[in-house]
């Protein structure tokens, strides 16, 4: 299912039912015409963070990304974008503040290159990650820090030209899963592996700290655009995912 949302209004938001997740895809460069609007929507903390960016492009993309998040959440919550109370959880994960901190609405955000992905669900914690496939100077060394022993073996068996894509797919899965856990970014990614990366059928999660991970979580990975890998991790109660577009 694909849909549209225009960043200047609340048009096109489909009903979000229990058992569903909505994943919104935004090409932030295409939203540059909304830069002035973003300034009026962001709160003081967001504007202060934007001011700390060294490069103008990074500052602009951050502001457009936060504006889009606020407009999306406002449509689901029935409030104005500037009134969406956003805060950071104890481990750095963004979350809704009062009075919506008890609302059955969970979200997560990821941004890489020109692409931003927003996951929204009513079923429980959610994690999303998108990775632009780009050269990594010491790919082998970074893989040692990220991949499980069996994933490293699969990685090493690939041709050099295929290793970048494998690594970015693996990292997107791990990042999404750790973000869904909430405090997971404090854990070593080498302690988690995904059967699909090892050529197995299905989306088995093996977590050294949770033997029942596959019974608790669903994981999906796909390429939202050429040159990117994305992954979504939801609770086992989320059965359907809609991919939707942010229109210009």
């Amino acid at each position: 299912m694909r849909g549209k949302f225009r960043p200047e209004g609340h048009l096109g938001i489909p009903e979000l039912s229990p058992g569903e997740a909505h994943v919104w895809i935004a090409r932030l460069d295409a939203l540059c015409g909304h830069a002035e609007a973003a300034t009026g929507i962001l709160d003081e903390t967001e504007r202060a963070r934007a001011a700390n960016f060294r490069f103008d492009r990074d500052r602009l993309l951050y502001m457009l990304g936060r504006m889009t998040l606020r407009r999306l959440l406002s449509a689901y919550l029935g409030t104005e974008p500037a009134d969406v109370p956003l805060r950071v959880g104890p481990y750095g994960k963004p979350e809704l503040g009062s009075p919506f901190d008890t609302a059955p609405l969970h979200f997560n955000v990821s941004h890489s290159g020109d692409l931003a992905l927003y996951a929204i669900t009513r079923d429980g914690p959610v994690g999303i990650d998108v990775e632009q496939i780009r050269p990594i100077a010491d790919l082998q060394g970074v893989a040692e820090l990220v991949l499980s022993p069996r994933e490293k073996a699969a990685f090493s068996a690939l041709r050099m030209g295929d290793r970048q894509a494998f690594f970015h797919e693996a990292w997107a899965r791990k990042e999404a899963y750790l973000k869904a856990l909430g405090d997971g970014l404090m854990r070593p990614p080498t302690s988690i592996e995904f059967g699909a990366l090892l050529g197995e059928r299905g989306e088995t999660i093996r977590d050294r700290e949770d033997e029942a991970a596959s019974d608790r979580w669903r994981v999906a990975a796909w390429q939202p655009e050429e040159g990117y890998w994305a992954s979504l991790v939801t609770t086992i109660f989320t059965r359907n995912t809609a991919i939707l577009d942010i229109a210009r």
Side-chain angles (χ1 to χ4, degrees):
M1 174 177 145
R2 300 189 73 87
K4 294 285 185 181
F5 169 84
R6 297 194 177 278
E8 69 274 10
H10 295 167
L11 300 176
I13 296 290
E15 179 68 25
L16 178 62
S17 301
E20 293 181 342
H22 289 171
V23 174
W24 293 90
I25 300 176
R27 294 150 193 86
L28 296 180
D29 274 353
L31 302 178
C32 289
H34 301 277
E36 185 175 346
T39 303
I41 290 175
L42 271 56
D43 64 20
E44 291 184 9
T45 300
E46 291 165 326
R47 288 194 291 269
R49 182 176 177 185
N52 287 330
F53 280 94
R54 180 179 179 183
F55 298 108
D56 291 342
R57 173 178 164 78
D58 293 337
R59 182 183 306 112
L60 176 61
L61 293 182
Y62 168 77
M63 294 176 65
L64 293 172
R66 295 296 287 194
M67 175 199 73
T68 303
L69 173 63
R70 285 181 165 278
R71 288 200 180 278
L72 283 170
L73 291 175
S74 73
Y76 288 97
L77 295 170
T79 189
E80 291 299 316
D83 295 333
V84 174
L86 292 173
R87 66 187 183 192
V88 177
Y91 295 97
K93 186 176 182 180
E95 60 187 25
L96 289 169
S98 178
F100 297 111
D101 50 346
T102 58
L105 192 72
H106 304 265
F107 72 95
N108 199 229
V109 182
S110 183
H111 167 232
S112 183
D114 180 41
L115 222 56
L117 269 62
Y118 306 82
I120 302 174
T121 182
R122 300 190 187 281
D123 300 325
V126 59
I128 195 161
D129 191 60
V130 60
E131 298 292 334
Q132 185 178 29
I133 301 172
R134 61 184 108 191
I136 297 175
D138 182 16
L139 182 60
Q140 185 67 42
V142 176
E144 291 287 332
L145 300 174
V146 171
L147 303 180
S148 75
R150 294 205 300 169
E151 289 170 343
K152 279 186 281 189
F155 168 86
S156 298
L158 294 172
R159 297 178 303 172
M160 293 298 295
D162 294 330
R163 292 182 182 181
Q164 293 278 359
F166 180 96
F167 175 82
H168 285 87
E169 179 184 356
W171 182 240
R173 290 170 184 268
K174 290 171 186 275
E175 183 88 355
Y177 176 63
L178 292 171
K179 288 168 73 177
L181 294 179
D183 61 351
L185 294 178
M186 307 295 291
R187 296 171 47 189
T190 54
S191 67
I192 303 146
E193 71 177 21
F194 296 87
L197 293 172
L198 306 175
E200 300 174 7
R201 298 181 63 183
E203 290 286 355
T204 303
I205 306 170
R206 297 189 185 92
D207 184 343
R208 196 180 303 161
E209 297 186 20
D210 183 3
E211 294 182 357
S214 287
D215 297 326
R216 304 177 193 276
W217 302 98
R218 294 184 189 272
V219 57
W222 76 103
Q223 291 194 268
E225 285 192 1
E226 185 177 357
Y228 290 86
W229 268 103
S231 183
L232 172 72
V233 174
T234 61
T235 70
I236 201 68
F237 304 108
T238 304
R239 299 178 299 278
N240 300 303
T241 299
I243 307 296
L244 303 123
D245 289 322
I246 304 291
R248 295 187 184 187

